[in-house]
Amino acid sequence: MSLVCGIGERMVEELYLNINPLQTGGRTPADTRKAIFSWVDGYAVCDACKGSLRTTDKPPIRQFIEDVSAFLGMDNALLTNGAREAKETVIHSLASRDDWMVADGNAHYSTLVAAERNGVPVIRTETSGHPTFEITPAMFDEAIERGTKEHGRPPVLAVVTHVDGNYGNVVDAKSIASVCHDHGVPVLLNAAYSAGRMPVSGRELGVDFIACSAHKSWAIGGGNAGLLAVNEEYRDRIIRFSKEYPVKPIEILGCSTRGSEVVALISSFPHVKERVKHWEREVAHARSVVSRLLDAGGFSLLGMSPKEHDIIAIETPAYDEIASHHKKRGYFLAKELKSRGIVGIKPGRTKHFKFSTFGFTDEQVDYIVESFLEIKDKYM
Amino acid sequence: MSLVCGIGERMVEELYLNINPLQTGGRTPADTRKAIFSWVDGYAVCDACKGSLRTTDKPPIRQFIEDVSAFLGMDNALLTNGAREAKETVIHSLASRDDWMVADGNAHYSTLVAAERNGVPVIRTETSGHPTFEITPAMFDEAIERGTKEHGRPPVLAVVTHVDGNYGNVVDAKSIASVCHDHGVPVLLNAAYSAGRMPVSGRELGVDFIACSAHKSWAIGGGNAGLLAVNEEYRDRIIRFSKEYPVKPIEILGCSTRGSEVVALISSFPHVKERVKHWEREVAHARSVVSRLLDAGGFSLLGMSPKEHDIIAIETPAYDEIASHHKKRGYFLAKELKSRGIVGIKPGRTKHFKFSTFGFTDEQVDYIVESFLEIKDKYM
C-alpha cells in the first residue's frame, strides 16, 4: 500500500464525500494545507522559541492562545496534544487519592480511560435509553447524589459531553453546569464535537474547563492537537509551572503540540471563527436529511429530535432487509455508496449507522440524501 | 506574518541550510511530505480503524510497530506523542508514592518535568564539568548510592540520556545500564538524539526502555510523534489495557499520535533504516568540522573528543572578540551566516553555540565550515 497521494488510494478517497463524523469537521482549508507544508520540517516552530511554546511569537502562538481563549469565552488556555489529553490534564490536576468523578452516560471512551490512567473512579449518569439517549440535568443530579453516598464525598469533577459522537445530541450544558455547581463540583465540557463547529461560550454556559479537539472540529487536518480552555478560578491549578524550569507548564511537559499542528491551528482559526457563524445552516442541513429519510420510510432516528447538530444516527431496517437477501450481505451498502462517490460509513453495517453533513454544500447534502434513497429504492 | 510557504518567510528559510540540532534529523524526505499531505484531513488514519491505533492495518500501523520494535532491538513499542510523553509513560507506569529516580547531569528538561508531573524526585549524577561534560558509569553508581541513602530505597528508574542536546556526547549506555542493573534499577534510554540518526539496539545496550523523538530524529517532519520501545520483562507494566475498553492502552489514552504523523513515520522508516547505516559518514563530517575549526584557532570544543555525534558545541572567543567592537554586536554572526545561506544558531550568541551537520552532503559541510572561517577572517 503506497502512502502517497497520487499513487495510492487516498487521492481517490479525497475526491469522495467522506461523511464519517470523525472527518467532516477536520477537513483542511487550502491555505492551512499550505501552512502545514511550510512548517513540516523537524521542530520548525521552535526556530524562534523564547523558552516555551506558549510564549512563542513567531509563529504567533502567544497571541493565538489569547485570541482562542476569548473566542471560547474563557480566560486562558493550554495547547494540548488532543481533547483526550486536555481531559486527562484536568483530571490529573484536580484529583487526589480517594477522589471520584462524574460523567454522562454518553461519555467518549477517552474520558473513561483518562480517569482510569489517574486511578479515578467514574460514576456515569443514566441516559433516557433507546431511541433518544438523552442526558438531562436531573440525571447529573442523581448521579452526583448516588456517587456521593457511595464514596462519602462529592465528586472532584464533572465531565460533560457537550455533543456525543454516537447520536449528535447537544446537552443543555448550562443547566447541567448549574446543577453540578450547586453540588460544588467544577465542570469540564468535552467540546470535541462542538467547539470549532458551533458557537461555544464557556462564560455563557458557566463551565470551568473546555476540552477541544483540533483534529475533529477545528479544520486543522491530520496533526494531533487540542485545546484546554480554563477559567480564571482554576487557572493556577491547571497551568502550573515547573519549579526548576519556570517557563514550562508541567501538565504539557513544557510544550505539547510543538509542530506544524499549531501552525495549522493558527491558520485555520479565521475559517473556524467564520464557520461557526453559519451553524444554523449546518443544523438545517441535518434536519432536512432526517426529515427526508423519515418521510421515505424504512429509516428511523436515533438521538434527540429535532436535530441540533450535524452528527446523524439512523436505524435502517430498510437496508437491513436488503442485506438479508443481497449476495454481498451487509457490505452492499458501503459498495453502493462508494459507487456514488460517498465514503465514511463502516462497511458491513446496515442495522444502524452514523454520519455527518458538516461543511457540505446544499447540493452535496441533497446528493447524499438522494443516494441513500436511491439505494433503498433500487432493491425494494 | 503569513503562515504559508510561498508568501511568508518560511519558504526562504527552507532554501537555507538550517544547522539547528533540533531540525537536522527531522527534515522530511519528499515522499514523506507527500504522504503527510495525503493524510492530512481530520482523523484520516481512523477511516479503517479496528478499535485502536496499534491494531490498524490500513495504513499498516500494526506492522510498523512490530518492525520498529525489531529495528530498535526491543520486544514491543507504543506510539506516543513525543519522546517526553514516552518518558512520562514509563515514569507514570513504574513509580509509586515515595519512589525516586536517577538521571544524568545532562538530562533534557523534559525528563525532569515528566518526573515532576508525577511527583517523583530526581537525583542527578555529576558531570565532569567544563569543557567535556562527560557522564560516566561511575557517576551513575555514585548517584544511585547517594539517592538510596537519602530516600532509604533504590531508585525506581534510571533515565539515561543517550546523546545530550547541548554537547552531543554519546554516553557508554551499555556500561551505565549494567551499573544500574547491578542496583536492580530498570533503565530508560532517552534516545531523542540517537535512535533514527545512528544505530541503536536496546538488546545490545541492555536497556529496558527506549524513548525516541520522531520529530527530532526520524525524518517525519513537523507532526508530534514519538516511540516508546519496551522489552518483554516490562511490557505488561507499560502496555496496560483499559478494563472497560480492552483494546485501548491506558498510558496513551487509547490512541496517541492519531493523525498524519504516524503515516509520516511509516513513510520515513525506510529512509531512517538506510541512513543509520551511514552513521560513520556523519561522525566523519562532525570530526572534520571540529578539526578545521580548532586548527584555525579562536574556537574550542565543548563536549567530549573525538566527536561521536553530529551535534557540535563550540566556544568561540574569536567571534566574541569581533562582537565586542562590531556595531551589530553579537548579532553580526547570525547576520553573516544568513547572508551565506546558513540559519539555525540563536541570534546574538557569540560566546558559544551549538549546531549540527547531520544529513548534509560533503560539499555542504565544507561550505558550513568555510563560512565560519570566512566570517572570522573577515574581521580579524
Side-chain angles (χ1 to χ4, degrees), chain B residues 104-273:
Chain B
D104 54 273
N106 289 335
H108 191 253
Y109 83 82
S110 63
T111 300
L112 289 307
V113 178
E116 192 173 357
R117 186 176 194 255
N118 287 278
V120 178
V122 183
I123 301 275
R124 266 173 279 187
T125 72
E126 299 296 307
T127 81
S128 65
H130 185 276
T132 57
F133 299 95
E134 187 177 358
I135 304 283
T136 65
M139 292 171 185
F140 264 89
D141 195 49
E142 184 278 329
I144 291 172
E145 295 191 352
R146 174 160 46 95
T148 302
K149 263 185 212 153
E150 183 180 322
H151 289 279
R153 58 166 84 184
V156 69
L157 178 69
V159 183
V160 179
T161 311
H162 196 190
V163 175
D164 72 274
N166 284 328
Y167 313 109
N169 286 345
V170 184
V171 302
D172 179 355
K174 188 173 182 173
S175 301
I176 292 174
S178 169
V179 163
C180 295
H181 286 160
D182 286 347
H183 288 277
V185 182
V187 175
L188 162 58
L189 191 71
N190 177 7
Y193 278 116
S194 58
R197 287 165 117 102
M198 57 187 269
V200 174
S201 166
R203 204 155 286 124
E204 278 175 28
L205 299 176
V207 298
D208 304 286
F209 316 99
I210 300 180
C212 303
S213 170
H215 15 229
K216 272 182 182 158
S217 299
W218 286 70
I220 71 146
N224 283 352
L227 290 162
L228 173 61
V230 298
N231 73 14
E232 189 66 24
E233 185 182 351
Y234 286 93
R235 192 192 54 197
D236 296 343
R237 287 184 68 182
I238 304 291
I239 310 179
R240 310 181 309 284
F241 293 89
S242 165
K243 285 209 179 68
E244 187 171 345
Y245 304 94
V247 295
K248 306 287 188 183
I250 293 176
E251 279 297 332
I252 57 169
L253 305 177
C255 307
S256 56
T257 185
R258 51 205 176 276
S260 54
E261 307 87 349
V262 65
V263 177
L265 253 175
I266 297 171
S267 166
S268 72
F269 190 39
H271 298 269
V272 165
K273 284 191 287 192

Side-chain angles (χ1 to χ4, degrees), chain A residues 40-103:
Chain A
V40 90
D41 270 325
Y43 266 117
V45 294
C46 307
D47 271 344
C49 174
K50 291 184 175 174
S52 89
L53 191 68
R54 63 187 284 106
T55 55
T56 298
D57 289 319
K58 204 176 142 188
I61 298 173
R62 183 205 304 262
Q63 185 65 47
F64 173 72
I65 290 175
E66 267 183 43
D67 294 346
V68 82
S69 303
F71 174 68
L72 292 166
M74 299 292 278
D75 298 309
N76 212 320
L78 270 181
L79 287 164
T80 65
N81 287 320
R84 64 191 69 195
E85 288 85 354
K87 292 182 281 186
E88 207 259 345
T89 282
V90 177
I91 298 167
H92 181 258
S93 297
L94 298 190
S96 303
R97 188 186 280 251
D98 299 330
D99 275 333
W100 65 281
M101 59 180 245
V102 66

